[in-house]
Amino acid sequence: YTRSPSSSTIIPVAAPAPPRSETPSAREPTQAAPPPSAVSGIKKGYARVESSNVTLGYIGNALINNEWCTVVATKSDAVVFEFLPVPGTIRFQRDQEALAVQSHYVNLNLTAGSRSFCALFKGSEAKKSTVYQWGGPRMHNLWSIADGNKISAHWPTDEGGKWALEPVVYTVDKRLYMTVDGAAFVKGAEEEFYKRAILRWEKA
């Protein structure tokens, strides 16, 4: 007889699935990364100077002896600042130098009626120049912004508290003082040349 050849066994194999088509509607929505300023809390803006509800101008790029801050009339000449809520620093955006307060005295008399004063300078203690031979310290981590965008500098007291300094503008050359008591400072000086002021943050 003739033997029939044995038939081979074939095991069916499933065909590979076609690549999944991913339509835009099936994708997870992609959110844009927030800008660095939003992550770090840095604010960018100008420091507007007001007196008796009238805008005198802005803290400007013009500095007396490359250090003492002054008021300029137009925003085009104003400094663009960056504010860091922690540690309470305002810095010049252009070169990252600090906006600092320099005391004229070794021990600032932080009492009502005091005529003690400081100046508003560019540069932290490490950048202190020798132009002004003042005995007091220079501080830059003392800024806050609150109450209608009011910019405040709080000087530490011996008791562990803080004293809010008040800006005063010398109208002859527009330099900015930071005083313990603005009314007392102006009254003891040539009043017609000095104006008590408020600094306000204006978004750039």
Side-chain angles (χ1 to χ4, degrees):
Y1 64 94
T2 305
R3 186 178 179 179
S4 59
S6 60
S7 59
S8 60
T9 304
I10 300 175
I11 301 175
V13 178
R20 183 178 176 181
S21 170
E22 189 175 332
T23 60
S25 59
R27 296 174 184 169
E28 290 293 329
T30 302
Q31 294 183 350
S37 59
V39 176
S40 60
I42 297 175
K43 297 180 179 180
K44 186 171 72 171
Y46 304 95
R48 190 173 70 248
V49 184
E50 298 179 354
S51 180
S52 301
N53 297 319
V54 176
T55 297
L56 301 179
Y58 299 84
I59 295 179
N61 287 298
L63 303 169
I64 296 176
N65 292 320
N66 296 315
E67 191 169 28
W68 199 321
C69 293
T70 64
V71 180
V72 296
T74 61
K75 192 182 291 185
S76 60
D77 296 321
V79 175
V80 177
F81 287 109
E82 293 177 346
F83 172 60
L84 291 74
V86 178
T89 300
I90 294 177
R91 63 192 183 193
F92 292 68
Q93 185 187 49
R94 178 181 296 176
D95 55 16
Q96 300 295 290
E97 287 285 358
L99 181 66
V101 178
Q102 168 76 45
S103 173
H104 187 268
Y105 315 89
V106 175
N107 297 308
L108 200 59
N109 181 13
L110 299 173
T111 57
S114 169
R115 294 196 62 245
S116 294
F117 65 90
C118 308
L120 196 59
F121 281 172
K122 178 181 181 179
S124 63
E125 182 66 26
K127 297 288 186 178
K128 183 178 177 181
S129 75
T130 57
V131 174
Y132 300 97
Q133 300 294 329
W134 292 3
R138 182 182 292 201
M139 298 185 181
H140 65 279
N141 292 334
L142 74 179
W143 297 101
S144 64
I145 299 176
D147 302 328
N149 290 329
K150 181 180 179 181
I151 304 172
S152 298
H154 294 89
W155 196 269
T157 67
D158 293 337
E159 295 76 26
K162 294 181 179 179
W163 188 280
L165 301 176
E166 183 179 347
V168 170
V169 180
Y170 181 49
T171 59
V172 175
D173 59 11
K174 311 300 183 183
R175 72 180 67 195
L176 274 159
Y177 289 87
M178 299 297 288
T179 65
V180 173
D181 186 326
F185 179 83
V186 170
K187 187 175 181 180
E190 298 174 274
E191 292 189 52
E192 66 270 26
F193 296 126
Y194 292 87
K195 287 187 176 183
R196 298 170 66 185
I198 294 175
L199 301 180
R200 293 199 185 277
W201 188 261
E202 185 176 311
K203 187 177 179 180

